[in-house]
Amino acid sequence: MKTLILVRHGKAEEAVLGGSDFERRLNPRGQSDAITMGKRLQQRGLIPDRILSSASRRTVETTRFIAMELHFPLEEVEWEAELYHASPSALLHAIQCCSPQVQTLMIVAHNNGLTDFANALCGTFTDNIPTCGMVVCTMEENDWTDFETAKKTMALYDYPKRFFA
């Protein structure tokens, strides 16, 4: 079985007219939320074997905070420029290129592509994955190249403001 963890970057500072969207940093809430979500993944035993992250500043910062909580070595994170505002087809391509030895894959990226991709995987369940929200799905296949056609199950949908009893 394979597990895919999709994570939207944390809350970023407001865009500035003429400023670079790619260089926007996490704001304090975004930093705190990334730590919280990393702890939630750790508590659930959802530890990735591989992390792919957009190379934008806010996704890099989100990934670093989550990786720290998961004790995932930062030098093993793969920073992918192609994941910056990636379309669902670009996300699928990144997944299908993953080695079959990887059991749990995490991708940290952006909306709208991330929400559109998650809805296509799991059936429409949200209009918008909140910042630092995550969707976890599993598939029974043993090779990521089969991801598009494999039967997938949503195992978890979580976000910072969601509280579980």
Side-chain angles (χ1 to χ4, degrees):
M1 183 163 68
K2 302 288 188 197
T3 302
L4 173 66
I5 305 167
L6 298 172
V7 180
R8 182 177 174 198
H9 64 77
K11 185 83 172 157
E13 60 191 12
E14 293 298 318
V16 176
L17 187 61
S20 169
D21 179 66
F22 191 84
E23 292 299 324
R24 287 174 46 217
R25 304 182 68 101
L26 290 181
N27 68 21
R29 187 181 114 202
Q31 294 172 13
S32 174
D33 286 349
I35 292 167
T36 295
M37 298 311 284
K39 287 178 181 178
R40 289 185 190 176
L41 286 169
Q42 178 73 278
Q43 290 165 353
R44 291 181 175 98
L46 291 166
I47 312 299
D49 302 309
R50 183 176 183 201
I51 297 176
L52 303 176
S53 175
S54 162
S56 77
R57 179 168 273 177
R58 61 190 176 275
T59 49
V60 167
E61 291 176 355
T62 300
T63 301
R64 285 183 174 157
F65 282 115
I66 290 173
M68 181 179 64
E69 293 302 320
L70 298 175
H71 307 289
F72 189 94
L74 288 176
E75 63 273 8
E76 292 182 22
V77 173
E78 296 175 46
W79 311 106
E80 303 284 341
E82 297 81 24
L83 292 177
Y84 177 64
H85 291 295
S87 67
S89 62
L91 293 166
L92 177 62
H93 179 74
I95 292 164
Q96 290 176 322
C97 289
C98 193
S99 165
Q101 285 75 33
V102 172
Q103 297 303 309
T104 302
L105 171 64
M106 176 186 286
I107 296 179
V108 185
H110 307 260
N111 265 352
N112 293 328
L114 203 62
T115 294
D116 292 344
F117 185 67
N119 281 327
L121 292 179
C122 307
T124 302
F125 65 95
T126 185
D127 291 334
N128 178 48
I129 296 173
T131 53
C132 228
M134 64 177 83
V135 176
V136 179
C137 75
T138 60
M139 73 170 185
E140 296 294 327
E141 302 296 328
N142 290 318
D143 197 316
W144 292 102
T145 58
D146 298 325
F147 189 81
E148 184 173 22
T149 57
K151 182 178 187 239
K152 295 167 278 297
T153 304
M154 182 166 44
L156 176 69
Y157 173 48
D158 195 9
Y159 47 91
K161 291 185 178 181
R162 186 170 191 177
F163 296 100
F164 296 96

